[in-house]
Amino acid sequence: MASESAESRREPNRFTHRELDIMSVLWRRGSGTVAEVRDVLGEDVGYTTVLKMLQILEGKNAVRHEKEGRAHRYYPLVESADAGGNALKRVMNKIFHGSAELLLATLVENREFSDEEIERMRSILDRAQEKEEDR
Amino acid sequence: MASESAESRREPNRFTHRELDIMSVLWRRGSGTVAEVRDVLGEDVGYTTVLKMLQILEGKNAVRHEKEGRAHRYYPLVESADAGGNALKRVMNKIFHGSAELLLATLVENREFSDEEIERMRSILDRAQEKEEDR
DNA sequence: TCTGTCCTACGAAGATCCTCGTTGACAACC
DNA sequence: GGTTGTCAACGAGGATCTTCGTAGGACAGA
């Protein structure tokens, strides 16, 4: 029974749990040292654990680092929009039968939005529609 | 260094990769036997693997089964909307800084939508806004 | 210099996930 | 009865993910 190789199974920019935790901090802050990332994650994640994850992420070309004093400062290489696009695609296909509408409906059902937020979301749709018409 | 127990770490209705593959089939079809699920997933997943995953999912109360002839027919217990809501929350928080707008923008950027789809998405926002005004 | 602190590096162990081989039950068909 | 096909059960093995212990370098202050 064939099983795909580890490489081909993993689609691009898909992060494991912990990896995503760490990427999330880097996306928010723009960059971070091990200690900074750990501060955000909380004390229940070991220092060396965070370090190791960052090294793993570096091995996957998801982050890079620069020397800063004695420490390393890590920068994300993968854009959050790219990772988000992939994650959304997966959620949309696996859970919402490929329907963006169903996805949106669930999104707005699970949270209250202010008029301003909804207005801005509407204009996002407007822009998408204009782009559509241009073609 | 404390590490949370396996139980508390796992938020509700979060599925692993394979689990989600299988739940996805059940959500689409409404129910399925091992053989049916496997047909959808493709031959490269072993029969006993699918069976095992269904048994694991049953242990997590994500599915239940009924006898059907000699086989078991499995039914989802977790709603796709619930799983989807959780998944979206996670993606929104970890990747899009908690911003639904950013999420929506990425969604519409990654796919072309017809006028009709956009119209329906707009009306989803309308309904959300009405609900907002009622309060 | 000695000690404590902060850092990286590395490897190995533990946890979880996924896979499948094997067994035994049952039924249909020869 | 024997053979074949379909099924659930179970357990073990491998792969992957996550954690941390330990070592060693660099630096600051006593």
mmCIF file with all atom_site columns, all heavy atoms in Angstrom, chain A residues 14 17 21 24 28 93-94 101 120 122 126 129, chain B residues 14 17 21 24 28 93-94 101 120 122 126 129:
data_model
loop_
_atom_site.group_PDB
_atom_site.id
_atom_site.type_symbol
_atom_site.label_atom_id
_atom_site.label_alt_id
_atom_site.label_comp_id
_atom_site.label_asym_id
_atom_site.label_entity_id
_atom_site.label_seq_id
_atom_site.pdbx_PDB_ins_code
_atom_site.Cartn_x
_atom_site.Cartn_y
_atom_site.Cartn_z
_atom_site.occupancy
_atom_site.B_iso_or_equiv
_atom_site.pdbx_formal_charge
_atom_site.auth_seq_id
_atom_site.auth_comp_id
_atom_site.auth_asym_id
_atom_site.auth_atom_id
_atom_site.pdbx_PDB_model_num
ATOM 1   N N   . ARG A 1 14  ? 2.542   24.928 5.120   1.00 0.00 ? 14  ARG A N   1
ATOM 2   C CA  . ARG A 1 14  ? 1.679   24.397 6.160   1.00 0.00 ? 14  ARG A CA  1
ATOM 3   C C   . ARG A 1 14  ? 2.495   24.186 7.415   1.00 0.00 ? 14  ARG A C   1
ATOM 4   O O   . ARG A 1 14  ? 3.541   23.552 7.375   1.00 0.00 ? 14  ARG A O   1
ATOM 5   C CB  . ARG A 1 14  ? 1.040   23.074 5.726   1.00 0.00 ? 14  ARG A CB  1
ATOM 6   C CG  . ARG A 1 14  ? -0.287  23.285 5.028   1.00 0.00 ? 14  ARG A CG  1
ATOM 7   C CD  . ARG A 1 14  ? -1.191  22.093 5.214   1.00 0.00 ? 14  ARG A CD  1
ATOM 8   N NE  . ARG A 1 14  ? -1.577  21.929 6.601   1.00 0.00 ? 14  ARG A NE  1
ATOM 9   C CZ  . ARG A 1 14  ? -1.099  20.995 7.406   1.00 0.00 ? 14  ARG A CZ  1
ATOM 10  N NH1 . ARG A 1 14  ? -0.206  20.134 6.978   1.00 0.00 ? 14  ARG A NH1 1
ATOM 11  N NH2 . ARG A 1 14  ? -1.510  20.937 8.640   1.00 0.00 ? 14  ARG A NH2 1
ATOM 12  N N   . HIS A 1 17  ? 1.293   22.751 14.694  1.00 0.00 ? 17  HIS A N   1
ATOM 13  C CA  . HIS A 1 17  ? 0.747   23.547 15.787  1.00 0.00 ? 17  HIS A CA  1
ATOM 14  C C   . HIS A 1 17  ? 1.725   24.555 16.358  1.00 0.00 ? 17  HIS A C   1
ATOM 15  O O   . HIS A 1 17  ? 1.488   25.755 16.360  1.00 0.00 ? 17  HIS A O   1
ATOM 16  C CB  . HIS A 1 17  ? 0.328   22.582 16.883  1.00 0.00 ? 17  HIS A CB  1
ATOM 17  C CG  . HIS A 1 17  ? -1.103  22.695 17.181  1.00 0.00 ? 17  HIS A CG  1
ATOM 18  N ND1 . HIS A 1 17  ? -2.072  22.392 16.264  1.00 0.00 ? 17  HIS A ND1 1
ATOM 19  C CD2 . HIS A 1 17  ? -1.744  23.113 18.288  1.00 0.00 ? 17  HIS A CD2 1
ATOM 20  C CE1 . HIS A 1 17  ? -3.243  22.615 16.800  1.00 0.00 ? 17  HIS A CE1 1
ATOM 21  N NE2 . HIS A 1 17  ? -3.079  23.048 18.025  1.00 0.00 ? 17  HIS A NE2 1
ATOM 22  N N   . ASP A 1 21  ? 2.216   28.663 16.136  1.00 0.00 ? 21  ASP A N   1
ATOM 23  C CA  . ASP A 1 21  ? 2.285   29.542 17.304  1.00 0.00 ? 21  ASP A CA  1
ATOM 24  C C   . ASP A 1 21  ? 3.428   30.534 17.151  1.00 0.00 ? 21  ASP A C   1
ATOM 25  O O   . ASP A 1 21  ? 3.300   31.733 17.422  1.00 0.00 ? 21  ASP A O   1
ATOM 26  C CB  . ASP A 1 21  ? 2.520   28.722 18.583  1.00 0.00 ? 21  ASP A CB  1
ATOM 27  C CG  . ASP A 1 21  ? 1.271   27.984 19.027  1.00 0.00 ? 21  ASP A CG  1
ATOM 28  O OD1 . ASP A 1 21  ? 0.164   28.331 18.555  1.00 0.00 ? 21  ASP A OD1 1
ATOM 29  O OD2 . ASP A 1 21  ? 1.396   27.047 19.838  1.00 0.00 ? 21  ASP A OD2 1
ATOM 30  N N   . SER A 1 24  ? 3.165   32.968 14.202  1.00 0.00 ? 24  SER A N   1
ATOM 31  C CA  . SER A 1 24  ? 2.167   33.981 14.563  1.00 0.00 ? 24  SER A CA  1
ATOM 32  C C   . SER A 1 24  ? 2.809   35.149 15.304  1.00 0.00 ? 24  SER A C   1
ATOM 33  O O   . SER A 1 24  ? 2.513   36.319 15.034  1.00 0.00 ? 24  SER A O   1
ATOM 34  C CB  . SER A 1 24  ? 1.082   33.328 15.421  1.00 0.00 ? 24  SER A CB  1
ATOM 35  O OG  . SER A 1 24  ? 0.144   34.281 15.841  1.00 0.00 ? 24  SER A OG  1
ATOM 36  N N   . ARG A 1 28  ? 3.162   39.037 13.858  1.00 0.00 ? 28  ARG A N   1
ATOM 37  C CA  . ARG A 1 28  ? 2.647   40.153 14.635  1.00 0.00 ? 28  ARG A CA  1
ATOM 38  C C   . ARG A 1 28  ? 3.709   41.198 14.898  1.00 0.00 ? 28  ARG A C   1
ATOM 39  O O   . ARG A 1 28  ? 3.492   42.400 14.756  1.00 0.00 ? 28  ARG A O   1
ATOM 40  C CB  . ARG A 1 28  ? 2.140   39.670 15.990  1.00 0.00 ? 28  ARG A CB  1
ATOM 41  C CG  . ARG A 1 28  ? 0.647   39.532 16.103  1.00 0.00 ? 28  ARG A CG  1
ATOM 42  C CD  . ARG A 1 28  ? 0.301   38.911 17.440  1.00 0.00 ? 28  ARG A CD  1
ATOM 43  N NE  . ARG A 1 28  ? -0.714  37.883 17.299  1.00 0.00 ? 28  ARG A NE  1
ATOM 44  C CZ  . ARG A 1 28  ? -2.023  38.145 17.349  1.00 0.00 ? 28  ARG A CZ  1
ATOM 45  N NH1 . ARG A 1 28  ? -2.438  39.367 17.557  1.00 0.00 ? 28  ARG A NH1 1
ATOM 46  N NH2 . ARG A 1 28  ? -2.893  37.192 17.184  1.00 0.00 ? 28  ARG A NH2 1
ATOM 47  N N   . ASN A 1 93  ? -12.317 23.820 1.659   1.00 0.00 ? 93  ASN A N   1
ATOM 48  C CA  . ASN A 1 93  ? -12.567 22.576 0.923   1.00 0.00 ? 93  ASN A CA  1
ATOM 49  C C   . ASN A 1 93  ? -12.998 21.428 1.818   1.00 0.00 ? 93  ASN A C   1
ATOM 50  O O   . ASN A 1 93  ? -13.938 20.709 1.496   1.00 0.00 ? 93  ASN A O   1
ATOM 51  C CB  . ASN A 1 93  ? -11.318 22.176 0.138   1.00 0.00 ? 93  ASN A CB  1
ATOM 52  C CG  . ASN A 1 93  ? -11.090 23.085 -1.045  1.00 0.00 ? 93  ASN A CG  1
ATOM 53  O OD1 . ASN A 1 93  ? -12.036 23.667 -1.571  1.00 0.00 ? 93  ASN A OD1 1
ATOM 54  N ND2 . ASN A 1 93  ? -9.840  23.245 -1.438  1.00 0.00 ? 93  ASN A ND2 1
ATOM 55  N N   . LYS A 1 94  ? -12.287 21.271 2.925   1.00 0.00 ? 94  LYS A N   1
ATOM 56  C CA  . LYS A 1 94  ? -12.554 20.105 3.760   1.00 0.00 ? 94  LYS A CA  1
ATOM 57  C C   . LYS A 1 94  ? -13.818 20.279 4.583   1.00 0.00 ? 94  LYS A C   1
ATOM 58  O O   . LYS A 1 94  ? -14.534 19.324 4.848   1.00 0.00 ? 94  LYS A O   1
ATOM 59  C CB  . LYS A 1 94  ? -11.373 19.859 4.702   1.00 0.00 ? 94  LYS A CB  1
ATOM 60  C CG  . LYS A 1 94  ? -10.102 19.472 4.014   1.00 0.00 ? 94  LYS A CG  1
ATOM 61  C CD  . LYS A 1 94  ? -10.096 18.005 3.639   1.00 0.00 ? 94  LYS A CD  1
ATOM 62  C CE  . LYS A 1 94  ? -8.822  17.670 2.876   1.00 0.00 ? 94  LYS A CE  1
ATOM 63  N NZ  . LYS A 1 94  ? -8.813  16.304 2.396   1.00 0.00 ? 94  LYS A NZ  1
ATOM 64  N N   . GLU A 1 101 ? -19.132 31.056 0.578   1.00 0.00 ? 101 GLU A N   1
ATOM 65  C CA  . GLU A 1 101 ? -20.296 31.669 1.220   1.00 0.00 ? 101 GLU A CA  1
ATOM 66  C C   . GLU A 1 101 ? -20.578 31.021 2.572   1.00 0.00 ? 101 GLU A C   1
ATOM 67  O O   . GLU A 1 101 ? -20.845 31.696 3.566   1.00 0.00 ? 101 GLU A O   1
ATOM 68  C CB  . GLU A 1 101 ? -21.523 31.520 0.324   1.00 0.00 ? 101 GLU A CB  1
ATOM 69  C CG  . GLU A 1 101 ? -21.313 32.148 -1.038  1.00 0.00 ? 101 GLU A CG  1
ATOM 70  C CD  . GLU A 1 101 ? -22.316 31.620 -2.047  1.00 0.00 ? 101 GLU A CD  1
ATOM 71  O OE1 . GLU A 1 101 ? -23.473 31.386 -1.656  1.00 0.00 ? 101 GLU A OE1 1
ATOM 72  O OE2 . GLU A 1 101 ? -21.947 31.451 -3.225  1.00 0.00 ? 101 GLU A OE2 1
ATOM 73  N N   . ARG A 1 120 ? -16.446 47.793 5.907   1.00 0.00 ? 120 ARG A N   1
ATOM 74  C CA  . ARG A 1 120 ? -15.157 47.548 5.276   1.00 0.00 ? 120 ARG A CA  1
ATOM 75  C C   . ARG A 1 120 ? -15.159 46.191 4.564   1.00 0.00 ? 120 ARG A C   1
ATOM 76  O O   . ARG A 1 120 ? -14.561 46.044 3.495   1.00 0.00 ? 120 ARG A O   1
ATOM 77  C CB  . ARG A 1 120 ? -14.040 47.610 6.318   1.00 0.00 ? 120 ARG A CB  1
ATOM 78  C CG  . ARG A 1 120 ? -13.692 49.040 6.724   1.00 0.00 ? 120 ARG A CG  1
ATOM 79  C CD  . ARG A 1 120 ? -12.360 49.098 7.463   1.00 0.00 ? 120 ARG A CD  1
ATOM 80  N NE  . ARG A 1 120 ? -12.403 48.380 8.731   1.00 0.00 ? 120 ARG A NE  1
ATOM 81  C CZ  . ARG A 1 120 ? -12.724 48.943 9.903   1.00 0.00 ? 120 ARG A CZ  1
ATOM 82  N NH1 . ARG A 1 120 ? -13.019 50.243 9.960   1.00 0.00 ? 120 ARG A NH1 1
ATOM 83  N NH2 . ARG A 1 120 ? -12.739 48.227 10.998  1.00 0.00 ? 120 ARG A NH2 1
ATOM 84  N N   . ARG A 1 122 ? -17.712 44.862 3.223   1.00 0.00 ? 122 ARG A N   1
ATOM 85  C CA  . ARG A 1 122 ? -18.485 45.070 2.005   1.00 0.00 ? 122 ARG A CA  1
ATOM 86  C C   . ARG A 1 122 ? -17.621 45.666 0.898   1.00 0.00 ? 122 ARG A C   1
ATOM 87  O O   . ARG A 1 122 ? -17.698 45.271 -0.269  1.00 0.00 ? 122 ARG A O   1
ATOM 88  C CB  . ARG A 1 122 ? -19.655 46.004 2.299   1.00 0.00 ? 122 ARG A CB  1
ATOM 89  C CG  . ARG A 1 122 ? -20.978 45.466 1.810   1.00 0.00 ? 122 ARG A CG  1
ATOM 90  C CD  . ARG A 1 122 ? -22.021 46.542 1.847   1.00 0.00 ? 122 ARG A CD  1
ATOM 91  N NE  . ARG A 1 122 ? -22.385 46.907 3.202   1.00 0.00 ? 122 ARG A NE  1
ATOM 92  C CZ  . ARG A 1 122 ? -23.331 46.303 3.907   1.00 0.00 ? 122 ARG A CZ  1
ATOM 93  N NH1 . ARG A 1 122 ? -23.995 45.301 3.386   1.00 0.00 ? 122 ARG A NH1 1
ATOM 94  N NH2 . ARG A 1 122 ? -23.612 46.686 5.123   1.00 0.00 ? 122 ARG A NH2 1
ATOM 95  N N   . ASP A 1 126 ? -16.757 44.699 -2.916  1.00 0.00 ? 126 ASP A N   1
ATOM 96  C CA  . ASP A 1 126 ? -16.890 45.614 -4.051  1.00 0.00 ? 126 ASP A CA  1
ATOM 97  C C   . ASP A 1 126 ? -15.650 45.580 -4.922  1.00 0.00 ? 126 ASP A C   1
ATOM 98  O O   . ASP A 1 126 ? -15.726 45.477 -6.139  1.00 0.00 ? 126 ASP A O   1
ATOM 99  C CB  . ASP A 1 126 ? -17.107 47.054 -3.542  1.00 0.00 ? 126 ASP A CB  1
ATOM 100 C CG  . ASP A 1 126 ? -18.447 47.214 -2.848  1.00 0.00 ? 126 ASP A CG  1
ATOM 101 O OD1 . ASP A 1 126 ? -19.313 46.338 -3.038  1.00 0.00 ? 126 ASP A OD1 1
ATOM 102 O OD2 . ASP A 1 126 ? -18.622 48.197 -2.101  1.00 0.00 ? 126 ASP A OD2 1
ATOM 103 N N   . GLN A 1 129 ? -15.372 42.623 -6.989  1.00 0.00 ? 129 GLN A N   1
ATOM 104 C CA  . GLN A 1 129 ? -16.313 42.619 -8.107  1.00 0.00 ? 129 GLN A CA  1
ATOM 105 C C   . GLN A 1 129 ? -15.813 43.510 -9.246  1.00 0.00 ? 129 GLN A C   1
ATOM 106 O O   . GLN A 1 129 ? -15.913 43.148 -10.420 1.00 0.00 ? 129 GLN A O   1
ATOM 107 C CB  . GLN A 1 129 ? -17.667 43.121 -7.621  1.00 0.00 ? 129 GLN A CB  1
ATOM 108 C CG  . GLN A 1 129 ? -18.803 42.757 -8.552  1.00 0.00 ? 129 GLN A CG  1
ATOM 109 C CD  . GLN A 1 129 ? -20.131 42.825 -7.844  1.00 0.00 ? 129 GLN A CD  1
ATOM 110 O OE1 . GLN A 1 129 ? -20.294 43.626 -6.920  1.00 0.00 ? 129 GLN A OE1 1
ATOM 111 N NE2 . GLN A 1 129 ? -21.075 41.992 -8.257  1.00 0.00 ? 129 GLN A NE2 1
ATOM 112 N N   . ARG B 1 14  ? -11.113 19.802 17.255  1.00 0.00 ? 14  ARG B N   1
ATOM 113 C CA  . ARG B 1 14  ? -9.975  19.983 16.373  1.00 0.00 ? 14  ARG B CA  1
ATOM 114 C C   . ARG B 1 14  ? -9.543  18.617 15.878  1.00 0.00 ? 14  ARG B C   1
ATOM 115 O O   . ARG B 1 14  ? -9.331  17.700 16.648  1.00 0.00 ? 14  ARG B O   1
ATOM 116 C CB  . ARG B 1 14  ? -8.808  20.667 17.095  1.00 0.00 ? 14  ARG B CB  1
ATOM 117 C CG  . ARG B 1 14  ? -8.873  22.174 16.970  1.00 0.00 ? 14  ARG B CG  1
ATOM 118 C CD  . ARG B 1 14  ? -7.495  22.773 17.055  1.00 0.00 ? 14  ARG B CD  1
ATOM 119 N NE  . ARG B 1 14  ? -6.675  22.369 15.923  1.00 0.00 ? 14  ARG B NE  1
ATOM 120 C CZ  . ARG B 1 14  ? -5.709  21.479 15.984  1.00 0.00 ? 14  ARG B CZ  1
ATOM 121 N NH1 . ARG B 1 14  ? -5.437  20.855 17.092  1.00 0.00 ? 14  ARG B NH1 1
ATOM 122 N NH2 . ARG B 1 14  ? -5.016  21.171 14.906  1.00 0.00 ? 14  ARG B NH2 1
ATOM 123 N N   . HIS B 1 17  ? -5.003  15.814 10.549  1.00 0.00 ? 17  HIS B N   1
ATOM 124 C CA  . HIS B 1 17  ? -5.079  15.749 9.103   1.00 0.00 ? 17  HIS B CA  1
ATOM 125 C C   . HIS B 1 17  ? -6.007  14.660 8.588   1.00 0.00 ? 17  HIS B C   1
ATOM 126 O O   . HIS B 1 17  ? -6.975  14.928 7.882   1.00 0.00 ? 17  HIS B O   1
ATOM 127 C CB  . HIS B 1 17  ? -3.677  15.490 8.582   1.00 0.00 ? 17  HIS B CB  1
ATOM 128 C CG  . HIS B 1 17  ? -3.211  16.570 7.711   1.00 0.00 ? 17  HIS B CG  1
ATOM 129 N ND1 . HIS B 1 17  ? -3.009  17.858 8.167   1.00 0.00 ? 17  HIS B ND1 1
ATOM 130 C CD2 . HIS B 1 17  ? -2.933  16.580 6.403   1.00 0.00 ? 17  HIS B CD2 1
ATOM 131 C CE1 . HIS B 1 17  ? -2.624  18.593 7.164   1.00 0.00 ? 17  HIS B CE1 1
ATOM 132 N NE2 . HIS B 1 17  ? -2.561  17.856 6.085   1.00 0.00 ? 17  HIS B NE2 1
ATOM 133 N N   . ASP B 1 21  ? -9.799  14.584 6.916   1.00 0.00 ? 21  ASP B N   1
ATOM 134 C CA  . ASP B 1 21  ? -10.104 13.960 5.626   1.00 0.00 ? 21  ASP B CA  1
ATOM 135 C C   . ASP B 1 21  ? -11.374 13.119 5.744   1.00 0.00 ? 21  ASP B C   1
ATOM 136 O O   . ASP B 1 21  ? -12.252 13.150 4.878   1.00 0.00 ? 21  ASP B O   1
ATOM 137 C CB  . ASP B 1 21  ? -8.952  13.045 5.194   1.00 0.00 ? 21  ASP B CB  1
ATOM 138 C CG  . ASP B 1 21  ? -7.748  13.837 4.694   1.00 0.00 ? 21  ASP B CG  1
ATOM 139 O OD1 . ASP B 1 21  ? -7.910  15.025 4.389   1.00 0.00 ? 21  ASP B OD1 1
ATOM 140 O OD2 . ASP B 1 21  ? -6.656  13.250 4.615   1.00 0.00 ? 21  ASP B OD2 1
ATOM 141 N N   . SER B 1 24  ? -14.564 15.008 6.618   1.00 0.00 ? 24  SER B N   1
ATOM 142 C CA  . SER B 1 24  ? -14.987 15.715 5.422   1.00 0.00 ? 24  SER B CA  1
ATOM 143 C C   . SER B 1 24  ? -15.888 14.847 4.554   1.00 0.00 ? 24  SER B C   1
ATOM 144 O O   . SER B 1 24  ? -16.924 15.302 4.036   1.00 0.00 ? 24  SER B O   1
ATOM 145 C CB  . SER B 1 24  ? -13.756 16.158 4.638   1.00 0.00 ? 24  SER B CB  1
ATOM 146 O OG  . SER B 1 24  ? -14.145 16.798 3.451   1.00 0.00 ? 24  SER B OG  1
ATOM 147 N N   . ARG B 1 28  ? -19.951 15.485 3.848   1.00 0.00 ? 28  ARG B N   1
ATOM 148 C CA  . ARG B 1 28  ? -20.451 15.581 2.490   1.00 0.00 ? 28  ARG B CA  1
ATOM 149 C C   . ARG B 1 28  ? -21.567 14.587 2.227   1.00 0.00 ? 28  ARG B C   1
ATOM 150 O O   . ARG B 1 28  ? -22.601 14.910 1.654   1.00 0.00 ? 28  ARG B O   1
ATOM 151 C CB  . ARG B 1 28  ? -19.321 15.282 1.496   1.00 0.00 ? 28  ARG B CB  1
ATOM 152 C CG  . ARG B 1 28  ? -18.725 16.487 0.848   1.00 0.00 ? 28  ARG B CG  1
ATOM 153 C CD  . ARG B 1 28  ? -17.527 16.068 0.013   1.00 0.00 ? 28  ARG B CD  1
ATOM 154 N NE  . ARG B 1 28  ? -16.414 16.978 0.220   1.00 0.00 ? 28  ARG B NE  1
ATOM 155 C CZ  . ARG B 1 28  ? -16.218 18.076 -0.523  1.00 0.00 ? 28  ARG B CZ  1
ATOM 156 N NH1 . ARG B 1 28  ? -17.044 18.360 -1.495  1.00 0.00 ? 28  ARG B NH1 1
ATOM 157 N NH2 . ARG B 1 28  ? -15.202 18.871 -0.279  1.00 0.00 ? 28  ARG B NH2 1
ATOM 158 N N   . ASN B 1 93  ? -7.080  34.126 14.252  1.00 0.00 ? 93  ASN B N   1
ATOM 159 C CA  . ASN B 1 93  ? -6.252  34.627 15.350  1.00 0.00 ? 93  ASN B CA  1
ATOM 160 C C   . ASN B 1 93  ? -4.757  34.447 15.106  1.00 0.00 ? 93  ASN B C   1
ATOM 161 O O   . ASN B 1 93  ? -3.979  35.361 15.341  1.00 0.00 ? 93  ASN B O   1
ATOM 162 C CB  . ASN B 1 93  ? -6.637  33.947 16.664  1.00 0.00 ? 93  ASN B CB  1
ATOM 163 C CG  . ASN B 1 93  ? -7.980  34.436 17.165  1.00 0.00 ? 93  ASN B CG  1
ATOM 164 O OD1 . ASN B 1 93  ? -8.385  35.563 16.893  1.00 0.00 ? 93  ASN B OD1 1
ATOM 165 N ND2 . ASN B 1 93  ? -8.677  33.586 17.891  1.00 0.00 ? 93  ASN B ND2 1
ATOM 166 N N   . LYS B 1 94  ? -4.407  33.266 14.626  1.00 0.00 ? 94  LYS B N   1
ATOM 167 C CA  . LYS B 1 94  ? -2.977  32.977 14.503  1.00 0.00 ? 94  LYS B CA  1
ATOM 168 C C   . LYS B 1 94  ? -2.368  33.649 13.291  1.00 0.00 ? 94  LYS B C   1
ATOM 169 O O   . LYS B 1 94  ? -1.226  34.055 13.300  1.00 0.00 ? 94  LYS B O   1
ATOM 170 C CB  . LYS B 1 94  ? -2.747  31.465 14.407  1.00 0.00 ? 94  LYS B CB  1
ATOM 171 C CG  . LYS B 1 94  ? -3.121  30.697 15.635  1.00 0.00 ? 94  LYS B CG  1
ATOM 172 C CD  . LYS B 1 94  ? -2.044  30.768 16.684  1.00 0.00 ? 94  LYS B CD  1
ATOM 173 C CE  . LYS B 1 94  ? -2.507  30.064 17.953  1.00 0.00 ? 94  LYS B CE  1
ATOM 174 N NZ  . LYS B 1 94  ? -1.553  30.200 19.045  1.00 0.00 ? 94  LYS B NZ  1
ATOM 175 N N   . GLU B 1 101 ? -11.510 40.992 8.470   1.00 0.00 ? 101 GLU B N   1
ATOM 176 C CA  . GLU B 1 101 ? -11.388 41.693 7.193   1.00 0.00 ? 101 GLU B CA  1
ATOM 177 C C   . GLU B 1 101 ? -10.189 41.183 6.413   1.00 0.00 ? 101 GLU B C   1
ATOM 178 O O   . GLU B 1 101 ? -10.274 40.927 5.207   1.00 0.00 ? 101 GLU B O   1
ATOM 179 C CB  . GLU B 1 101 ? -11.241 43.200 7.434   1.00 0.00 ? 101 GLU B CB  1
ATOM 180 C CG  . GLU B 1 101 ? -12.407 43.778 8.215   1.00 0.00 ? 101 GLU B CG  1
ATOM 181 C CD  . GLU B 1 101 ? -12.046 45.119 8.826   1.00 0.00 ? 101 GLU B CD  1
ATOM 182 O OE1 . GLU B 1 101 ? -11.309 45.881 8.186   1.00 0.00 ? 101 GLU B OE1 1
ATOM 183 O OE2 . GLU B 1 101 ? -12.504 45.399 9.950   1.00 0.00 ? 101 GLU B OE2 1
ATOM 184 N N   . ARG B 1 120 ? -24.411 37.077 -3.067  1.00 0.00 ? 120 ARG B N   1
ATOM 185 C CA  . ARG B 1 120 ? -24.861 36.283 -1.911  1.00 0.00 ? 120 ARG B CA  1
ATOM 186 C C   . ARG B 1 120 ? -23.994 36.551 -0.692  1.00 0.00 ? 120 ARG B C   1
ATOM 187 O O   . ARG B 1 120 ? -24.490 36.586 0.434   1.00 0.00 ? 120 ARG B O   1
ATOM 188 C CB  . ARG B 1 120 ? -24.837 34.793 -2.271  1.00 0.00 ? 120 ARG B CB  1
ATOM 189 C CG  . ARG B 1 120 ? -26.004 34.376 -3.172  1.00 0.00 ? 120 ARG B CG  1
ATOM 190 C CD  . ARG B 1 120 ? -26.177 32.870 -3.190  1.00 0.00 ? 120 ARG B CD  1
ATOM 191 N NE  . ARG B 1 120 ? -25.045 32.201 -3.804  1.00 0.00 ? 120 ARG B NE  1
ATOM 192 C CZ  . ARG B 1 120 ? -24.943 31.916 -5.103  1.00 0.00 ? 120 ARG B CZ  1
ATOM 193 N NH1 . ARG B 1 120 ? -25.921 32.239 -5.938  1.00 0.00 ? 120 ARG B NH1 1
ATOM 194 N NH2 . ARG B 1 120 ? -23.887 31.299 -5.580  1.00 0.00 ? 120 ARG B NH2 1
ATOM 195 N N   . ARG B 1 122 ? -22.603 39.336 -0.081  1.00 0.00 ? 122 ARG B N   1
ATOM 196 C CA  . ARG B 1 122 ? -23.026 40.646 0.391   1.00 0.00 ? 122 ARG B CA  1
ATOM 197 C C   . ARG B 1 122 ? -24.277 40.526 1.271   1.00 0.00 ? 122 ARG B C   1
ATOM 198 O O   . ARG B 1 122 ? -24.389 41.171 2.306   1.00 0.00 ? 122 ARG B O   1
ATOM 199 C CB  . ARG B 1 122 ? -23.317 41.561 -0.800  1.00 0.00 ? 122 ARG B CB  1
ATOM 200 C CG  . ARG B 1 122 ? -22.671 42.920 -0.675  1.00 0.00 ? 122 ARG B CG  1
ATOM 201 C CD  . ARG B 1 122 ? -23.219 43.864 -1.697  1.00 0.00 ? 122 ARG B CD  1
ATOM 202 N NE  . ARG B 1 122 ? -22.880 43.480 -3.064  1.00 0.00 ? 122 ARG B NE  1
ATOM 203 C CZ  . ARG B 1 122 ? -21.765 43.875 -3.683  1.00 0.00 ? 122 ARG B CZ  1
ATOM 204 N NH1 . ARG B 1 122 ? -20.908 44.650 -3.062  1.00 0.00 ? 122 ARG B NH1 1
ATOM 205 N NH2 . ARG B 1 122 ? -21.528 43.497 -4.926  1.00 0.00 ? 122 ARG B NH2 1
ATOM 206 N N   . ASP B 1 126 ? -25.303 41.693 4.986   1.00 0.00 ? 126 ASP B N   1
ATOM 207 C CA  . ASP B 1 126 ? -26.522 42.459 5.302   1.00 0.00 ? 126 ASP B CA  1
ATOM 208 C C   . ASP B 1 126 ? -27.244 41.850 6.489   1.00 0.00 ? 126 ASP B C   1
ATOM 209 O O   . ASP B 1 126 ? -27.623 42.552 7.425   1.00 0.00 ? 126 ASP B O   1
ATOM 210 C CB  . ASP B 1 126 ? -27.469 42.470 4.092   1.00 0.00 ? 126 ASP B CB  1
ATOM 211 C CG  . ASP B 1 126 ? -26.898 43.260 2.929   1.00 0.00 ? 126 ASP B CG  1
ATOM 212 O OD1 . ASP B 1 126 ? -25.954 44.055 3.178   1.00 0.00 ? 126 ASP B OD1 1
ATOM 213 O OD2 . ASP B 1 126 ? -27.369 43.092 1.786   1.00 0.00 ? 126 ASP B OD2 1
ATOM 214 N N   . GLN B 1 129 ? -25.657 42.492 9.668   1.00 0.00 ? 129 GLN B N   1
ATOM 215 C CA  . GLN B 1 129 ? -25.827 43.874 10.108  1.00 0.00 ? 129 GLN B CA  1
ATOM 216 C C   . GLN B 1 129 ? -27.212 44.092 10.705  1.00 0.00 ? 129 GLN B C   1
ATOM 217 O O   . GLN B 1 129 ? -27.365 44.767 11.717  1.00 0.00 ? 129 GLN B O   1
ATOM 218 C CB  . GLN B 1 129 ? -25.617 44.815 8.929   1.00 0.00 ? 129 GLN B CB  1
ATOM 219 C CG  . GLN B 1 129 ? -25.346 46.253 9.343   1.00 0.00 ? 129 GLN B CG  1
ATOM 220 C CD  . GLN B 1 129 ? -24.681 47.017 8.234   1.00 0.00 ? 129 GLN B CD  1
ATOM 221 O OE1 . GLN B 1 129 ? -24.941 46.751 7.058   1.00 0.00 ? 129 GLN B OE1 1
ATOM 222 N NE2 . GLN B 1 129 ? -23.825 47.948 8.582   1.00 0.00 ? 129 GLN B NE2 1
#
